[in-house]
Amino acid sequence: MIMTTIKPGAFRNLAHQMRQHSPQRETGTLVRHEKAFLEPLLTVAQVSEITGRSISKLEKDRWEGCGPPYVKMGRLVRYRPADVRAWLSERVRRSTSEGAAEATK
């Protein structure tokens, strides 16, 4: 199992960046999709900073199908914040003996 450390304030910094570039700020309106707000997509570099995984490890994870779900738009790779949060939540452990099967991923 690979343990990663999230840098202090990473989500706070990300939330600040997302507010600065939000559709509300740019158009004065809310963007809604089926009662859910559309959040700006995260870049590979942003996910790397949040998760503590290198960009090359994220690339390998995509190739192996074991990393956070991603969105592919042409050559661009982006991540939905909710998917990254869910992926991290799935990896929370209380003991080193938990999730032995996950260690192989």
Side-chain angles (χ1 to χ4, degrees):
M1 178 159 111
I2 298 172
M3 298 298 294
T4 60
T5 306
I6 298 174
K7 296 178 184 178
F11 280 111
R12 190 174 345 108
N13 293 339
L14 177 62
H16 175 73
Q17 290 174 5
M18 288 170 50
R19 281 192 303 274
Q20 294 300 316
H21 301 290
S22 72
Q24 289 174 297
R25 184 175 290 275
E26 294 172 13
T27 64
T29 61
L30 295 177
V31 176
R32 291 184 179 267
H33 183 262
E34 297 179 4
K35 297 184 180 180
F37 293 106
L38 293 179
E39 297 178 290
L41 298 174
L42 303 174
T43 65
V44 176
Q46 288 172 318
V47 174
S48 174
E49 182 178 330
I50 290 167
T51 62
R53 294 168 90 88
S54 68
I55 290 174
S56 61
K57 178 59 178 156
L58 289 170
E59 290 171 357
K60 184 177 178 184
D61 288 346
R62 287 193 304 273
W63 187 78
E64 293 175 346
C66 62
Y70 63 96
V71 177
K72 185 83 169 162
M73 298 178 297
R75 293 175 20 170
L76 295 177
V77 172
R78 296 291 185 260
Y79 295 87
R80 293 183 296 193
D83 289 339
V84 174
R85 282 191 294 271
W87 183 79
L88 287 171
S89 294
E90 292 169 1
R91 278 145 187 78
V92 173
R93 303 289 185 259
R94 295 187 186 275
S95 166
T96 57
S97 62
E98 286 184 63
E102 285 288 319
T104 59
K105 288 188 176 182

